[in-house]
Each structure stands twice: as structure tokens, then as C-alpha cells.
């Protein structure tokens, strides 16, 4: 019955949009600003191009084996001894990513809404709620993503419109004071920031039309990048680069300046952060679902869905481990190289081998 | 599958003995009238409303016959004029030309004497007993192993009245009545289509309630019809007293707070559902018809939406959906804001609320629970009390109690406003079932808000959403057409297009005939 | 089946513990003291920073009941009647740091202080002159509850004294100042800078102007003029008129300023009301010599005419425009002189302009920017266009 789970292309689109947008987008501005300064706004558009390339290779590879997930096709391409470690690595990557997202979200919740509530309680409640959604299976997950996206995204965009009066173009000057290389390099490295795109490594066999995987992936990614670029550009345009480096959650600080305050809701920024917290749920749920599915595949389990719950202790441990918010980044240092590997290097290599070993038959 | 079986587990374990008609009553009718009557009398022992009328057709030496019926279920005038008179007065004349064989007489009675339209032939006792109990008069003749069930039903029942639970400004004033036949007729009058099919079931081992399954052949998906039939056939209970009994047996998830089957008292709503490709289940003795499958979207609709012009309908629907969100969320938001994040309340309002709350004995959450419970109490009491008194109670309760509580410094006036607003907003939801699930979930969200504030509300909403997206009603995802996203069906969701643009039936019902508005006549 | 129900029981238990043990952040509104505004000063009269508790903070909090009595004669208390007592409580605390001082409130107030509704932050003159603003503001930047959009103001004299004022409409000094700051759309005699802007400027090492507040007779308040913050400290004040001129340069003026233009040629004194104002500040680099040009285009209308009752001709308007432009140029030069030479404070963001437009040169001159700035040649060109003459010609 689970093998019959199928989602349409539009559902895959919404799933990927909901999975990609998370609190990290709000804090992301700070990381970029730290590295390239005023050219921050240039990074994301460039990143979009690089990432689209990586996503193209990734989905090509997956679409070459429309009935297979990552474990299946990597075994077919490179044999069992390669498939196992790769899949285990992917599993770990997803779990660590889940932990990272939940940790960052928890920090944001603690910083904005619940100062005195123990972080463990927030973390656990978030994880359990997300695992509950993940354990329903892919179809309900995709449906939840649709509802969440169509409710939250328009509101978020409206909220960003409210801060436009504070937008100052001079915050973007000077352009490229240190030359284009730091920007290009960072943009290339930030391919690893399309973390949740790795879901397409296993998503294709679930699609009603596997041929439309690239369509769903690219459109989803573009929509996400529109949001991300809006957020980052607004952050920079409103706050300026100095405050951006200094603020813990620049995206939240920006909305504190909304001109709307006092008329209906005093703190529009808290509405905003609530919407963003809502968006963290599908991300965590999608990652938990994916890792549960992959784990189920590895141990040959048909009904993998409850595994979403069994993974929670590990995720909880990973998320709790960093002692303070500054340690989070250093603790999760491995996410970037891992992401880079699973989004670009491994798919590219596998694709190459696949083309050599299974050349495209005739016209198709 | 384990999941599914334990839905019925409870009923299987309970060893309710089958009615002892089991073997005895399945017996075929005998040739001897005396034996037949004896058996029937044995079946209806101590049923003093069952009338056994013995007679002889053709004088003292004539054929022995009997008429059995339940007093009160039959129309006495009909029995006297159409049965007794024809048989006893015209029977002997007819007999004189006959050879005298009982079967000849029987045929004569059946074919030419009875002046009642609906006459059925019965061959066994089970059928005989059921017909007698359904308001038929059973005619038995000595020497014939058959009986005639003559429909002379004529019990007292409520007429067609305006549906009290679903009042509309514009639209038909007729509501379903308690009699199944009237209800099917009401639907037939709206859809004069031979494709409108009616399948009848007798459900309930003891109640033998007539249940009608109606659908339009050629529109409703056959898969859906089979599914409904299968689920109806599984029902094994002693009595079906209301359509809710059926609903609880055939719904998908018994533990869900959401109604997965729509019910209506309005024939026009049922007819609209039939035209969309849904299936309507009518139950005898209740005006509430069931409509399957139901989605959250369809529960939030009122037939009136289509009687208004689209612009007004869109406004009303927007109002209704936002009202339902208000009814669900307002108290929990109030708690979250006042107790957790007062920075969200505009300063002057925060000062007013704070001033109103100064010196109150209870924290906000307790206050909210008290007031919401009082509201539910008032509502429940208002329903129980007879008509005008119930309304008075509402006014007395809401105004006087609220005012007194505020003046006594027990609750704050802001809380009273919140509760009142919630109650009002709850009434815009057209379906009582949908409204009641919102009421339950409101309390759930209030608890979440009391623990986690705004984050708790979000968490609660996520849990509710998770439940809703995994819910299905007869294979249709509950949140259709939003999730899964079907752009074509969105024109009858929160938004509704002009009627002539709603060309297609909802795709999620997989109707056999998708188009509902013809190609030929385009409105310019 | 059994295991499943075990899970459910476990989950239920978890939920129950959370609910019963929970509500960590649950604190009802009336159990919090809403801080509407804070005034910070130096504790010691002489403004010494070496005493053990150098910082003083005055918090204004509404006394809720008295705040909302709507002409009913003060509810039952009877004390709300007095015109001269504000329905607020002003709590003054001292401490080694602001965090400590504010924490001490727990010994004085039975309600937890809550900064979510803070509207203004007022700094005393002495504090602004001697203390480093970045350190002063750090608590507000770090605190979860406070808001980046709150207005930062400078008091002439002690900030705590300002909190004792008796505004006539508003029921609290902070609310008065908050509303008063909205008047920035009617005049540029003061400047409205939020905490976010101040923090951004301080972090970028820039200078900034802050609105000044002073007490006027009958315990009323006036917001006008601006304090010049240079390197995180108050360097001096600009008069309201100088503030106007400074804001013309930065383009922050929202319009509605009235410029009184005497036009001897017409024997008239005209009041020109500003409409749209566009300012363009451009750094010019000629042979390693940096200079600035300021071009201001302003549209205006005649708000009032005094003197010669003769009607306007189109040519007369040109004369008015010229006069007004000269007047503005003069005032701009005056304030530039004061800022460049007297205060050496780059509150107009000249340095930032150079940084944005000529990043390479900026790197070279960053070190001696103050010297360069103080002797920077600036050309000022103002163009006034009068669009309307009001309801009469």
C-alpha cells in the first residue's frame, strides 16, 4: 500500500518550496554578510545559477532511473559497496540537517517568543509534531506543504512590502569593492545551501510523472530563490551591512521596522516570525520523512513511516549538543562539504558512470 | 488492515443474539391457512397491535382467508374500502365463474379485485413479517402457499416543513421530512431524471430501517457507489434510529473531530450534491440525509451560495471562512497575546486590557476556560429548553451573566468580548458538524496557547493540519481542492466564479460526465 | 494493537507533563509593568564615571487603572483627579550596568518589568557627553523584548527630569514623546532616529544626529534641535534652524517646513511652505583633492504674505525663488561650517558617500577622515520652485 504513494508534479513543487524555506533563510543574511560584506545581494542571484546547474545534474540522474531511489540507482550504477556508504552518508546528512534546522528554529523561537521555556521542550515538541506529519507518509506531507505555502508565503511577502519605505539604495554601494572573486566563490560554495534539493534523490519514483521532476525541482527552486533574494535584499537595503553583521536574526530585525506598527498589531515582526516558524515544520517533516524512507530501504522495511519517530533521539542529541548559539555553526561545519558532495559531486560522478555504463538507448 | 478491522471489533464481540426469526421465519409459506396463521401468530406473540382478520370469501362455505396488519401503520379507510370491500363483495361473484380452485381465486384477487396499486407477492414468513411491520396488509388464502402484501401504509408523520437547522434567505422552503418516501419524492421532484437511481437497504437487525442510496447514474463514479454499498453492507447493528448511526459506521476515521460525512435537511442541497456526482443516503424516520464524500470545503458551503450572484457569494464565503478561523483561533490568540507576548497588542489596548484585568482572581487561561465553558453551557441549555425560553436564556445568560461577572470583578470585559465574538463567529459556519469540530479544537488550541503561547497555537495548528491532510472521506482527501492542489476546482472553494463559468463538476469526485454546462449556450 | 496504545499513552503522558509543568513564559499582562519609556543618566551629579554605580535609569510605567479612567472622575480612587499627577510611575534605579540597574527593579516593583511596549529611549546630556553610546544602547540591542523601532532622543540637561514633565494631552511623557516624534512629517526642526538607525550608525563608526528634548515652562516639553553625536559621544547641539538645514542636506526632511523669506524688492515677507525636496550630495575628486557638491531642488508654495498687498506676477515669483534659494544656501553653509569646523562631526554622511561611491580612495583617506572633513570644500546649489500661491494669487 505504501508503494502506491504518488504525488503530482504540483505537489512536488509545493513540497520542495515548503521544504527549502526555513528559518535559516532569515539568519542566512548574516553568514553571507560576514564573508562578502556589501556584495551580499549579489551572492544569491549568482548562487541560483550555480545551484540550478547542480539541480539539473541531480534530477537528470534521478530521472534516468524513474523507478529507483538513490539507494537503488547507486547500487545499479556503482555496486552495493558504493551504494551502502553513500546512502548511509545521505541518511546522516539528512538527520544532521534536521538537527540543524530544528536547532536554529528553536533558537529563533526562544529569542522571539518563549524566553524562559526550556529549549529541550521546544525542540522536542517541534520534532514530535514534525515527525507526526512525516509518519503520515508522503501524500499527506505534500498536502500539508501546499496549505502551509499558500497561507504563509503571500503574508510574508506582504510583510516585506511594509518595510519598503525604509529601503535605501545606498546600502548596496559600493559594488564589488573587492572584485568579483569572493562573491563568485561564495556563490559557488553556496550550492550546498540548496540542501533540501537532495530530496529529489529519492523523490522521483514517487512522482506520478517522473519526467516532470526537473520541472518541479527547477520551478520550486526558483520560487524559493525569489523569496530568499527578496529577504536578503530587503535585509541589506533596510538594515545596512553593519547592522546585518551584528543582528542575530536580521530577517526579524527588518520586520521590526514595519510602518504598520501600532495600528492593528503592535509587533508585526512577531507575526512574521510565527509565519516563519510554521515554515520550519514542513522542512523538518520532509527531511524526517526522507531519512525514514531511506533507512527503511536500507533495512528492507516496507512500512518505514514509524521510523520517523525512531530517528528522533539521534536528531535530538545532535540538535542539543552545541552549547550556545555561536557554537552551532562550528558544530555543524560538516554540513557544507556534505551538502556540496550530495548536491553536486556525487550526482555528477554517478551520472557520468551511468552514462558510460547505460548509454541512452536510441532516441529516448 | 488491522486498523480497519478494529473499527467493527466492538460490535462483533458483543454477542447480540440474532432475531429468532433466523431459521423459523425463513420458512416458506404453507398451503394451509391455519398453519400459516399459527406461525404468524407465533411470530407476533404478545403484539396486540397486530390484527388478524379471518374471513370467508363466498359465504359460509366459501374459501377461508385472512388479512394481517398492524393497527396504526395502515390507513383503515384503505383497508376497509379497497381491500375488504373488494374481496368480500366482489369476490363471490368472481368466484362463481371460477372452478373453485384456491389458486384461481388468489389470482383473481391479485389481478382484478384489489384496487390498490402496490401489491407484492410473498412466499416466506420473514418477508411476510417485514411487510406487515412496514405497514402492509398481508392477505392469505387457504390452499395457496403465497400471500399478498398490499400497501396501505397510513401512519401519522410530520409533513414537509421548513428545515429549522438550515434556514436560508433565498431558496426552497421545503425540508426533508421524517418519512423516507416523502424524501425520495422531494428529490425526484427536483431531478426528473430516470438516471436518478434509488437502491433500498433494510439496515438494523431489529429496526429493519429502510435506507435509500441515491445517485445519478452516469455522473457518480461507480467506484464510489460500490464503496458506499460495501460499507453499508458491513453495518450490523440491532437498530438504526437516525442517519448518524450510519454515519458513524461508514466514516473513515472514527477518532477524528471532523465530520467526514455531510448531513443536510435540505432537498436542494442533496440534489446539488447528486448533480456534482456525490451519493446521498436517505434514512427512514429522520429528516437528515447523508452526503458522501464530504470535504472541509463542502462543509463550509451553503446551498445559498449558488442562489446569490457570484460577487455576493464570494464576499459571504470569505466572511464565513474568516469567521470560522476566528471561532477557532480567537480565544487562543487572546491567551497567547495577553499572557505571553503582550508586545503584540497595541499599547493603548494593552493598557486597557491590563487595567481591566487588574485585581481579577484568575489567570487569563482559567478565565478563558470558565467563560468558554459557560458559553457552551448556555448553548447546550438553550437547545434543551423549549423555543422561546431558549432564546431568553441566551439573552439572560450572555448579557446579565456577562455583565454581572464583569462588575463583580470575576472576569474582564475584554474576555467577555472575546467569548461573545467567538460565539458569533461560530454561528456563521453553515454545517453544525463543522462548527462543533471547531468548538472542540478551540479548547485544544487554548490549552496549547496556555503552555506555549503563540508557538503553541502554531504547534496546535500544525497538528490539526497534519490530521486534516491525512484525512480522507471515501477516498477524497479532506482538504480538496486546496490540497492536493487542483486549480480547476478552486472556482468553487473560498472563491466562487460566476455560475456559467463553473462548467465542470468537481474533478476529485471523478464524475463519469465531467461537463455540467453545455458547450452550446455560452453566456456573453 | 497493544504497543500502539502504549505509544499513545506515553505521548499523552508527555503532553500532560508538559501542560502541568509548563507555562514557563505565561505571565499575564496585568502582572507585568509595561515600561513605556526609559531615561538614562549618569548617577553622580558631577558626571563621574568612576563611582561604583555610574548609571541611573528612570523607567516610566503606566498605573493601569488610572491610565484608562475616561472622565468618570477617577473610578473610585479619587486620586486620578489631579491634573498635575500623571497616571504613571517613574521608577529610578542605579547600577554598575543597565542590566543590573533594571534587575534591581525586582526589589521595588511587584510586577515584572516588561519592555515590549517601550516607545522611547531618552539619554541625558551629561551621559551622552561622557559615556559611550554604543555601550549604553547595548542592553536594548540585546534584549529580546525591546524593539528596534523605538525612538532615541537626547535630553537637554537630565533625562530623568524630563520624565517629570506634565504634557497636557498625553497621559504619559513617553507616549507624548512618541506621538510628538510623529510630527516629524510637519517639521524638520528635530530629527527622528530609531534605535536601529542609531545602532547602524554607531556600528559603522558614523556620526549621527539625535533629537533634543527640553523642558519649557509649566512643565511642558519641547522637542526641537538636535544633538550631534560624534564618535559615540555628544559633541554639541544644533539649533532647530540648523537642524532644519542639516536635514535639507540629508534629504530626511518630510516637507511642510516653513521658510520665512524677506523679499526687499517686493517689500514683502513671504512664508514658503516646502513640498517635495530632493537633495543630491556628490563627492568630487579632482587631482586627489576631495570636494563635495550639494544640489537641492525644492518645490514649495506660498503659505503667507506680509507687507505690500500687491498681487504676484510670475516674475515676482522668480524673485521669491531666488531669495529663498539664497537664504537656504546661507543657512546650509552656516550649519556646514558648524559641523565641519566646530564639531568636526560627519553627521551628514559625507564619509559614507565617499565610501559608497569611491571605495578605493576611501581606503586611503579613512585614517585622516576627520581632518579632511573639517577642511572639505563644499559647493551648495539650491533651486527653489514655487508651484502654487495658495488659494489667493
Amino acid at each position: 500500500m505504501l508503494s502506491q504513494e504518488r504525488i503530482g508534479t504540483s505537489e512536488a513543487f509545493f513540497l520542495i518550496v515548503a521544504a527549502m524555506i526555513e528559518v535559516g533563510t532569515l539568519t542566512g543574511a548574516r553568514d553571507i554578510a560576514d564573508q562578502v560584506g556589501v556584495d551580499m545581494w549579489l551572492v544569491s542571484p549568482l548562487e541560483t545559477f550555480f545551484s540550478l546547474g547542480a539541480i539539473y545534474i541531480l534530477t537528470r540522474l534521478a530521472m534516468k532511473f524513474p523507478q529507483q531511489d538513490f539507494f537503488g540507482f547507486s547500487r545499479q550504477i556503482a555496486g552495493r559497496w558504493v551504494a551502502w556508504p553513500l546512502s548511509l552518508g545521505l541518511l546522516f546528512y539528512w538527520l544532521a540537517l534536521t538537527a540543524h534546522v530544528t536547532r536554529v528554529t528553536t533558537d529563533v523561537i526562544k529569542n522571539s517568543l518563549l524566553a524562559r521555556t526550556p529549549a529541550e521542550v521546544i525542540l522536542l515538541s517541534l520534532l514530535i509534531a514534525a515527525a507526526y506529519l512525516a509518519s503520515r507518509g508522503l501524500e499527506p506531507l505534500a498536502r500539508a506543504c501546499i496549505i502551509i505555502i499558500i497561507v504563509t508565503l503571500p503574508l510574508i511577502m506582504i510583510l516585506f512590502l511594509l518595510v519598503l519605505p525604509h529601503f535605501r539604495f545606498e546600502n548596496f554601494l559600493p559594488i564589488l569593492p573587492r572584485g568579483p572573486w569572493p562573491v563568485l566563490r561564495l556563490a559557488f560554495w553556496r550550492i550546498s545551501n540548496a540542501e533540501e534539493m537532495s530530496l529529489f534523490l529519492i523523490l522521483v519514483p514517487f512522482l506520478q510523472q517522473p519526467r516532470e521532476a526537473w520541472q518541479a525541482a527547477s520551478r520550486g527552486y526558483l520560487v524559493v530563490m525569489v523569496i530568499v533574494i527578496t529577504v536578503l535584499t530587503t535585509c541589506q537595503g533596510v538594515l545596512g551591512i553593519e547592522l546585518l553583521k551584528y543582528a542575530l536574526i536580521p530577517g526579524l530585525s527588518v520586520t521590526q521596522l514595519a510602518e504598520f506598527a501600532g495600528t492593528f498589531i503592535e509587533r508585526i515582526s512577531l507575526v512574521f516570525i510565527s509565519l516563519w516558524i510554521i515554515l520550519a515544520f514542513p522542512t523538518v517533516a520532509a527531511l524526517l520523512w526522507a531519512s525514514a524512507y531511506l533507512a527503511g530501504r536500507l533495512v528492507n522495511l516496507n512500512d518505514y513511516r514509524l521510523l520517523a519517530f525512531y530517528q528522533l533521539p539521534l536528531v535530538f542529541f545532535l540538535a542539543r549538543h552545541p552549547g550556545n548559539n555561536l557554537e552551532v555553526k562550528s558544530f555543524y561545519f560538516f554540513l557544507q562539504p556534505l551538502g556540496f558532495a550530495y548536491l553536486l559531486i556525487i550526482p555528477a560522478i554517478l551520472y557520468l558512470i551511468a552514462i558510460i555504463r547505460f548509454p541512452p538507448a536510441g532516441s529516448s | 488492515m488491522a486498523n480497519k478491522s478494529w473499527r467493527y471489533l466492538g460490535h462483533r464481540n458483543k454477542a447480540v443474539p440474532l432475531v429468532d426469526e433466523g431459521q423459523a421465519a425463513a420458512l416458506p409459506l404453507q398451503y394451509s391457512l391455519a398453519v400459516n396463521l399459527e406461525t404468524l401468530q407465533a411470530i407476533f406473540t404478545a403484539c396486540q397491535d397486530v390484527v388478524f382478520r379471518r374471513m370467508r370469501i363466498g359465504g359460509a362455505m366459501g374459501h377461508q382467508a385472512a388479512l394481517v396488519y398492524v393497527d396504526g401503520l395502515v390507513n383503515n379507510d384503505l383497508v376497509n374500502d379497497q381491500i375488504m370491500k373488494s374481496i368480500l363483495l366482489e369476490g363471490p361473484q368472481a368466484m362463481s365463474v371460477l372452478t373453485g380452485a384456491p389458486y384461481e381465486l388468489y389470482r383473481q384477487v391479485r389481478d382484478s379485485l384489489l384496487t390498490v396499486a402496490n401489491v407484492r407477492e410473498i412466499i416466506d414468513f420473514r418477508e411476510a413479517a417485514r411487510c406487515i411491520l412496514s405497514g402492509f396488509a398481508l392477505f392469505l388464502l387457504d390452499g395457496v402457499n403465497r400471500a399478498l402484501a398490499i400497501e396501505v401504509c397510513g401512519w401519522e408523520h410530520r409533513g414537509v416543513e421548513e428545515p429549522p437547522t438550515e434556514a436560508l434567505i433565498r431558496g426552497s422552503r421545503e425540508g426533508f421530512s421524517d418519512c423516507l418516501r416523502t424524501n425520495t419524492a422531494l428529490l425526484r421532484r427536483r431531478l426528473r431524471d430516470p438516471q436518478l437511481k434509488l437502491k433500498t437497504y433494510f439496515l438494523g437487525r431489529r429496526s429493519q430501517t429502510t435506507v435509500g442510496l441515491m445517485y445519478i447514474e452516469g455522473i457518480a463514479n461507480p467506484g464510489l457507489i460500490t464503496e458506499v454499498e460495501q460499507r453499508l453492507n458491513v453495518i450490523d447493528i440491532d437498530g438504526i434510529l437516525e442517519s448518524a448511526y450510519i454515519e458513524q459506521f461508514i466514516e473513515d476515521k472514527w477518532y477524528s473531530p471532523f465530520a467526514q460525512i455531510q448531513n443536510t435537511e435540505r432537498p436542494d442541497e442533496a440534489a446539488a450534491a447528486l448533480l456534482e456526482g456525490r451519493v446521498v443516503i436517505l434514512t427512514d424516520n429522520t429528516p437528515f440525509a447523508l452526503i458522501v464524500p464530504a470535504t472541509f470545503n463542502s462543509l463550509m458551503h451553503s446551498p445559498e451560495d449558488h442562489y446569490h450572484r457570484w460577487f455576493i457569494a464570494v464576499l459571504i464565503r470569505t466572511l464565513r471562512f474568516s469567521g470560522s478561523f476566528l471561532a477557532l483561533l480567537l480565544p487562543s490568540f487572546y491567551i497567547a497575546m495577553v499572557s505571553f507576548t503582550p508586545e503584540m497588542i497595541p499599547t493603548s489596548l494593552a493598557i486597557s486590557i491590563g487595567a481591566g484585568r487588574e485585581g481579577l482572581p484568575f489567570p487569563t487561561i482559567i478565565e478563558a476556560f470558565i467563560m468558554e465553558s459557560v458559553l457552551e453551557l448556555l448553548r447546550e441549555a438553550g437547545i434543551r429548553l423549549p423555543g422561546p425560553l431558549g432564546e431568553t436564556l441566551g439573552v439572560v445568560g450572555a448579557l446579565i451573566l456577562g455583565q454581572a461577572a464583569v462588575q463583580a470583578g470575576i472576569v474582564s470585559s475584554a474576555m467577555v468580548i472575546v467569548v461573545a465574538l467567538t460565539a458569533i463567529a461560530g454561528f456563521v459556519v453553515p454545517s453544525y458538524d463543522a462548527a462543533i469540530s471547531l468548538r472542540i479544537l478551540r479548547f485544544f488550541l487554548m490549552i496549547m496557547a496556555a503552555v506555549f503561547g503563540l508557538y503553541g497555537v502554531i504547534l496546535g495548528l500544525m497538528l490539526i493540519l497534519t490530521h486534516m491532510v491525512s484525512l480522507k472521506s471515501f477516498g477524497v482527501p479532506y482538504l480538496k481542492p486546496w490540497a492536493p492542489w487542483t486549480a480547476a476546482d478552486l472556482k468553487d472553494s473560498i472563491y466562487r466564479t460566476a455560475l456559467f463559468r463553473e462548467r465542470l463538476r468537481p474533478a476529485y469526485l471523478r464524475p463519469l460526465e465531467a461537463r455540467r454546462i453545455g458547450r452550446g449556450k455560452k453566456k456573453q | 494493537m497493544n504497543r500502539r496504545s502504549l505509544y499513545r499513552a506515553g505521548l499523552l503522558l508527555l503532553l500532560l507533563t508538559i501542560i502541568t509543568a509548563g507555562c514557563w513564559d505565561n505571565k499575564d499582562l496585568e502582572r507585568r509593568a509595561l515600561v513605556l519609556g526609559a531615561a538614562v543618566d549618569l548617577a553622580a551629579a558631577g558626571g563621574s564615571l568612576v563611582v561604583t554605580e555610574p548609571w541611573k535609569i528612570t523607567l516610566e510605567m503606566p498605573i493601569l487603572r488610572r491610565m484608562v479612567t475616561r472622565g468618570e472622575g477617577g473610578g473610585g480612587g479619587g486620586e486620578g483627579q489631579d491634573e498635575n499627577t500623571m497616571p504613571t510611575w517613574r521608577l529610578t534605579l542605579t547600577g554598575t550596568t543597565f542590566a543590573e540597574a533594571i534587575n534591581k527593579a525586582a526589589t521595588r516593583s511587584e510586577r515584572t518589568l516588561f519592555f515590549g511596549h517601550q516607545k522611547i529611549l531618552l539619554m541625558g546630556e551629561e551621559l551622552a557627553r561622557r559615556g559611550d553610546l554604543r555601550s549604553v544602547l547595548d542592553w536594548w540591542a540585546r534584549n529580546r523584548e525591546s524593539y528596534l523601532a523605538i525612538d532615541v532622543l537626547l535630553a537637554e540637561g537630565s533625562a530623568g527630569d524630563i520624565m517629570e514633565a506634565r504634557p497636557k494631552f498625553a497621559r504619559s511623557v513617553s507616549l507624548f514623546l512618541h506621538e510628538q516624534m510623529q510630527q516629524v512629517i510637519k517639521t524638520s526642526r528635530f530629527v527622528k532616529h530609531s534605535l536601529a538607525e542609531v545602532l547602524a550608525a554607531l556600528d559603522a563608526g558614523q556620526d549621527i544626529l539625535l533629537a533634543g528634548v527640553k523642558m519649557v515652562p509649566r512643565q511642558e516639553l519641547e522637542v526641537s534641535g538636535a544633538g550631534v553625536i560624534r564618535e559615540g559621544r555628544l559633541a554639541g547641539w544644533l539649533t532647530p534652524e540648523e537642524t532644519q538645514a542639516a536635514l535639507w542636506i540629508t534629504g530626511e526632511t518630510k516637507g511642510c517646513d516653513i521658510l520665512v523669506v524677506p523679499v526687499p524688492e517686493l517689500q514683502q515677507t513671504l512664508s514658503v511652505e516646502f513640498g517635495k525636496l530632493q537633495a543630491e550630495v556628490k563627492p568630487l575628486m579632482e587631482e586627489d583633492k576631495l570636494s563635495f557638491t550639494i544640489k537641492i531642488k525644492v518645490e514649495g508654495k506660498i503659505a503667507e504674505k506680509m507687507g505690500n498687498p500687491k498681487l504676484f506676477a510670475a516674475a515676482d515669483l522668480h524673485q521669491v525663488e531666488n531669495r529663498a534659494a539664497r537664504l537656504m544656501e546661507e543657512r546650509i553653509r552656516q550649519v556646514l561650517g558648524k559641523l565641519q569646523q566646530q564639531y568636526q562631526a560627519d553627521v551628514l554622511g559625507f564619509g559614507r558617500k565617499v565610501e559608497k561611491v569611491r571605495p578605493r580612495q576611501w581606503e586611503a583617506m579613512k585614517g585622516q577622515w576627520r581632518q579632511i572633513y573639517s577642511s572639505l570644500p563644499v559647493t551648495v546649489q539650491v533651486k527653489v520652485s514655487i508651484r502654487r500661491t495658495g488659494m489667493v494669487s
Side-chain angles (χ1 to χ4, degrees), chain A residues 135 292 303-311, chain C residues 3-4 7:
Chain A
S135 69
D303 191 352
Y304 58 86
R305 294 180 303 179
L306 271 185
L307 286 183
F309 282 107
Y310 293 127
Q311 297 164 338
Chain C
R3 255 182 37 190
R4 199 164 192 148
Y7 281 132

Side-chain angles (χ1 to χ4, degrees), chain A residues 38 110-118 121 124 128 168 170-171 173-174 177 239-240 242-243 246 253 255-257 261 266-269 306 310, chain C residues 3-4 7 11 14 18 24-25 115-117 119 134 138 141 144-149 194 196-197 199-200 203-204 352-353 355-357 359-360:
Chain A
V38 278
K110 264 191 85 76
N111 277 325
S112 57
L113 295 173
L114 300 169
R116 276 176 288 273
T117 306
V121 177
L124 208 61
I128 288 178
R168 295 219 165 66
E170 62 162 31
N171 281 332
L173 294 172
L239 292 178
E242 285 83 15
L243 202 56
Y246 168 75
S253 305
T255 45
Q256 289 202 348
L257 300 174
E266 186 79 11
R267 286 287 185 87
I268 213 81
S269 61
L306 271 185
Y310 293 127
Chain C
R3 255 182 37 190
R4 199 164 192 148
Y7 281 132
L11 210 66
L14 193 77
I18 287 176
W24 296 271
D25 286 88
F115 287 81
H117 282 285
K119 299 291 176 197
R134 189 65 198 76
D138 187 78
R144 176 190 82 88
E145 288 164 356
S146 59
Y147 204 33
L148 278 180
S194 68
E197 286 162 298
L199 286 173
D203 280 328
R352 195 173 167 78
K353 273 270 148 47
E355 184 192 348
K356 295 293 174 195
V357 184
R360 299 245 166 66

Side-chain angles (χ1 to χ4, degrees), chain A residues 11 109 114 121-122 125-126 129 132-133 136 140 143-144 146-148 150 264-267 270-271 274 278 281, chain B residues 340-341 343-347 452 454-455 458-459 462-463 465-467 469-470 472 477 479 482-485:
Chain A
E11 284 163 88
I109 293 171
L114 300 169
V121 177
I122 301 176
S125 58
L126 198 133
Y132 175 49
L133 178 54
R136 302 286 97 186
R143 282 182 222 137
I146 295 176
I147 299 287
I148 289 169
I150 58 179
F264 179 58
I265 285 182
E266 186 79 11
R267 286 287 185 87
L270 289 186
V271 177
S274 312
I278 293 179
F281 279 92
Chain B
F340 284 81
T341 45
E343 59 261 51
M344 289 184 83
I345 312 171
T347 307
F452 289 124
L454 202 54
Y455 170 67
I458 294 171
L459 203 64
M462 278 299 119
L463 292 175
L465 179 67
T466 306
H467 175 72
V469 292
S470 43
K472 279 186 173 185
L479 285 181
W482 304 294
W485 184 263

Side-chain angles (χ1 to χ4, degrees), chain A residues 52-180:
Chain A
L52 270 182
I55 294 162
Y56 182 73
I57 297 173
L58 194 150
T59 43
R60 273 279 120 189
L61 171 69
M63 282 152 73
K64 202 165 163 57
F65 304 91
Q67 307 304 323
Q68 298 273 18
D69 55 32
F70 180 72
F71 182 62
F73 63 68
S74 59
R75 194 165 52 178
Q76 207 170 335
I77 294 169
R80 191 192 312 166
W81 296 108
V82 176
W84 266 89
L86 281 187
S87 301
L88 280 178
L90 186 60
L91 184 61
F92 174 72
Y93 174 58
W94 278 337
L95 289 178
L97 210 53
T98 317
H100 184 239
V101 174
T102 37
R103 173 58 193 248
V104 173
T105 313
T106 307
D107 283 347
V108 167
I109 293 171
K110 264 191 85 76
N111 277 325
S112 57
L113 295 173
L114 300 169
R116 276 176 288 273
T117 306
E120 288 85 358
V121 177
I122 301 176
L123 197 64
L124 208 61
S125 58
L126 198 133
L127 279 176
I128 288 178
Y132 175 49
L133 178 54
S135 69
R136 302 286 97 186
L138 181 62
E139 288 181 7
L141 176 63
R143 282 182 222 137
C145 288
I146 295 176
I147 299 287
I148 289 169
I149 288 296
I150 58 179
V151 170
T152 53
L153 270 200
L155 281 175
I156 283 179
M157 292 317 254
I158 290 173
L159 288 185
F160 266 95
L161 284 183
L162 292 175
V163 291
L164 277 189
H166 294 268
F167 203 84
R168 295 219 165 66
F169 282 101
E170 62 162 31
N171 281 332
F172 296 103
L173 294 172
I175 298 167
L176 297 174
R178 278 178 285 166

Side-chain angles (χ1 to χ4, degrees), chain C residues 222-239:
Chain C
E222 177 185 319
V223 181
S224 67
V228 179
I229 303 294
R230 172 174 173 266
E231 291 175 339
R233 284 181 172 78
L234 177 65
W237 297 92
L238 294 184
T239 65

